[in-house]
Amino acid sequence: MFTGIVQDLVSVKRLVHRAEVLEIYLQLEPEHVDGIEEGASVAVDGCCLTVSAISDDVLQFEVVTATQRITTLGKLRQGDKVNVERSLKFGDEVGGHILSGHIASTVEVTDYQSRESEATLTFRVPKEWRKFLMTKGFIALNGASLTLASFDSATGCGTINLIPETLKRTNLGSVRIGDHLNLEVDSTTQTIVQTVERLFAEGQFSTKS
């Protein structure tokens, strides 16, 4: 589990393609590697990955084909900046909201307006995921916990406002129109919507008075 508070913004040190597995190597700040072991969970651009090897401050991750297809990890290049968060520990402060690191889909950036005090990012959500989003609802983009400033379920267009701290600490400060970002929807909202849909499908609710 994660909180959506990005701890490290690092460059991809190395990428190795082996058959259907992509190996990603990231060099973290020493304080973020301290105590970490092989098998630990780390969110990389919001994707929950398992540490497969450690060498000094360099962590190795293995990404299977399905994850490469659903997320942006399959399109990474050496030198790209990625957001990193270690898994939540008991007693940690939850500064964002609870995340699983399970990416729903990618979203396309359709507009990006930068001003002195903030930036506004607009993106389009695939149709099958729009029912889980709403204005003022929680989402995560590239692993960063965010609140939707607005969302239009008909067009799938959502807007978020980014404060200077978020722009500085994450890779959302360098996105461009046409880029794709990893989307995780709020799990509580998803559970409620899917439960209500199932109950209606089973005839346990009726719209008739």
Side-chain angles (χ1 to χ4, degrees), residues 106-120:
T106 60
V107 298
E108 182 181 359
V109 177
T110 58
D111 192 35
Y112 189 85
Q113 301 292 328
S114 180
R115 296 176 292 280
E116 183 177 349
S117 59
E118 66 175 358
T120 300

Side-chain angles (χ1 to χ4, degrees), residues 14 61 77 83 86 120 171 190:
R14 186 183 175 207
F61 305 92
R77 296 169 297 180
N83 298 329
R86 290 185 56 175
T120 300
N171 57 17
Q190 184 176 359

Side-chain angles (χ1 to χ4, degrees), residues 127-132 189-205:
K127 190 172 183 179
E128 63 268 29
W129 295 103
R130 297 175 187 176
K131 59 187 175 183
F132 304 120
T189 302
Q190 184 176 359
T191 299
I192 292 171
V193 170
Q194 290 178 329
T195 299
V196 171
E197 285 182 336
R198 177 175 56 80
L199 292 175
F200 269 112
E202 294 174 352
Q204 298 190 42
F205 289 155

Side-chain angles (χ1 to χ4, degrees), residues 38-62:
E38 292 182 10
S41 295
V42 175
V44 177
D45 268 357
C47 308
C48 180
L49 300 179
T50 300
V51 177
S52 56
I54 306 172
S55 178
D56 296 325
D57 298 332
V58 178
L59 305 184
Q60 175 187 331
F61 305 92
E62 297 177 339

